[in-house]
Amino acid sequence: MDKKQFINLLRRKLKRFNVADIEETISYYEELIYEKMQEGLSENQAVASLGDPHEVASSMAVDMVAKSKTTGVNAALILLGAMSTPILLPILLVLAVLYFVVIVVWGTLAFSFGFAAIASLVGAVGSLIIPGEIATKLFSTGIGLISFVMCGAICYVVVKYGLKLLNIMTVKLAQKVFKRRQER
Amino acid sequence: MDPQIKKGILDACVLAELQSGEAYGYQLLKDISTVINISESTLYPILRRLEKSSCLTSHSVAFDGRLRKYYRITAEGRDKLAKFRDEWQAVADVIEFIRRKC
């Protein structure tokens, strides 16, 4: 067998045995063949002194860390995990947006009714001060006061239960986020 | 020689060889072969393992139009060699004990 045949056969065997760093191993044997030839051996003699390529490759496989089969599985798992992120992220984003939308709506409602309540009160008081028919004044004040109470009440309800809802939503969102972290 | 015993000893042989200076693969093979049977296929995994555990480093030098890989012992390699030496003093004592009884 000449050097080329030996090296090609060795390379095939190393691949079959799943040996790691095949090219480094090949370099090592090429160097040895060269050195032996420098000492006077012919190419075929140098190759023969190395032994059977199959035996050589199997020695490498026993002693050297072969490519682990499990790395293939691990890689697949990592890939799946990474792939879930494109699905997970948009979901989380939507939830976050919903969360903020609810806050904004709640805030607006509360503020609107609150403002309306104050405006009603001002109107009620103003009606008393502004000159005009007493009947009209009393009517306006009455409406103003009723409006004030109603808007105030709605505002109070919105604020109170809104806060409760906010609490629940925050907890749920946090749970989702941390549950995801745990799963990973 | 028993393969297990041989495996442990060969690591130390390689390190001991490199203790006196850097050497290339074939040089190591020839020198160690004078005292214990070692083949090319046995030496290479040892060199790789020792390099992976940082007991030695390697570098390639251009030589006669080719590259020759030289191996050099590291501080960790020297420590490991010293550990081998101490352990085998204990083994040598036991062997002496057995030898006297035989």
Side-chain angles (χ1 to χ4, degrees):
Chain A
M1 199 188 305
D2 71 9
K3 177 178 158 195
K4 208 172 185 191
Q5 289 172 314
F6 178 84
I7 294 294
N8 287 341
L9 190 53
L10 180 62
R11 193 177 272 122
R12 276 213 319 270
K13 297 282 180 180
L14 288 172
K15 279 195 189 141
R16 183 127 31 108
F17 279 106
N18 230 355
V19 172
D21 300 321
I22 291 178
E23 286 313 312
E24 272 183 44
T25 310
I26 296 292
S27 303
Y28 170 80
Y29 281 99
E30 279 183 323
E31 195 182 307
L32 281 179
I33 293 171
Y34 175 76
E35 299 287 351
K36 292 194 181 206
M37 284 170 69
Q38 288 299 100
E39 288 206 327
L41 290 172
S42 75
E43 189 177 292
N44 283 12
Q45 285 173 321
V47 164
S49 74
L50 296 175
D52 175 48
H54 185 92
E55 299 295 320
V56 171
S58 82
S59 316
M60 300 289 109
V62 165
D63 279 309
M64 276 158 58
V65 180
K67 281 179 248 166
S68 172
K69 289 258 165 96
T70 60
T71 57
V73 177
N74 287 341
L77 282 174
I78 292 169
L79 194 64
L80 276 175
M83 276 168 65
S84 74
T85 317
I87 306 167
L88 172 67
L89 261 179
I91 289 178
L92 280 181
L93 274 173
V94 167
L95 281 174
V97 168
L98 270 175
Y99 183 73
F100 284 112
V101 162
V102 168
I103 292 178
V104 168
V105 167
W106 165 79
T108 311
L109 266 176
F111 184 72
S112 305
F113 280 110
F115 198 74
I118 295 171
S120 307
L121 187 63
V122 170
V125 170
S127 304
L128 283 174
I129 301 172
I130 291 172
E133 294 259 349
I134 283 203
T136 325
K137 283 206 291 193
L138 281 173
F139 182 69
S140 302
T141 308
I143 294 220
L145 284 173
I146 294 171
S147 177
F148 166 66
V149 168
M150 273 173 62
C151 290
I154 294 174
C155 174
Y156 174 75
V157 164
V158 168
V159 169
K160 182 174 177 190
Y161 289 103
L163 278 173
K164 230 188 197 176
L165 185 66
L166 202 76
N167 228 352
I168 296 170
M169 276 183 68
T170 315
V171 167
K172 276 213 163 148
L173 196 70
Q175 272 179 348
K176 280 224 160 170
V177 172
F178 288 121
K179 188 181 159 205
R180 277 285 161 187
R181 290 239 183 98
Q182 271 174 3
E183 270 175 24
R184 287 213 190 139
Chain B
M1 193 187 288
D2 180 68
Q4 287 299 334
I5 297 177
K6 193 166 182 177
K7 193 175 180 187
I9 291 179
L10 285 176
D11 279 18
C13 273
V14 170
L15 290 173
E17 268 294 319
L18 294 175
Q19 180 98 302
S20 40
E22 67 178 24
Y24 58 97
Y26 192 50
Q27 188 182 345
L28 281 168
L29 192 73
K30 280 195 293 181
D31 290 346
I32 296 174
S33 293
T34 60
V35 69
I36 188 171
N37 237 349
I38 181 172
S39 73
E40 296 84 358
S41 318
T42 314
L43 176 62
Y44 186 60
I46 293 173
L47 289 171
R48 261 183 57 102
R49 206 170 356 104
L50 289 173
E51 186 163 13
K52 290 233 157 139
S53 59
S54 305
C55 289
L56 53 87
T57 58
S58 66
H59 61 281
S60 296
V61 178
F63 190 86
D64 256 356
R66 292 192 64 96
L67 281 181
R68 200 190 239 174
K69 205 170 193 185
Y70 280 85
Y71 300 91
R72 197 182 283 167
I73 196 171
T74 63
E76 272 173 73
R78 290 183 207 276
D79 285 343
K80 191 161 189 192
L81 185 60
K83 249 189 238 162
F84 273 124
R85 195 193 53 217
D86 295 338
E87 274 174 18
W88 290 344
Q89 189 48 59
V91 172
D93 294 341
V94 175
I95 290 173
E96 180 59 25
F97 171 84
I98 296 169
R99 199 188 62 80
R100 255 185 273 126
K101 306 277 179 173
C102 285

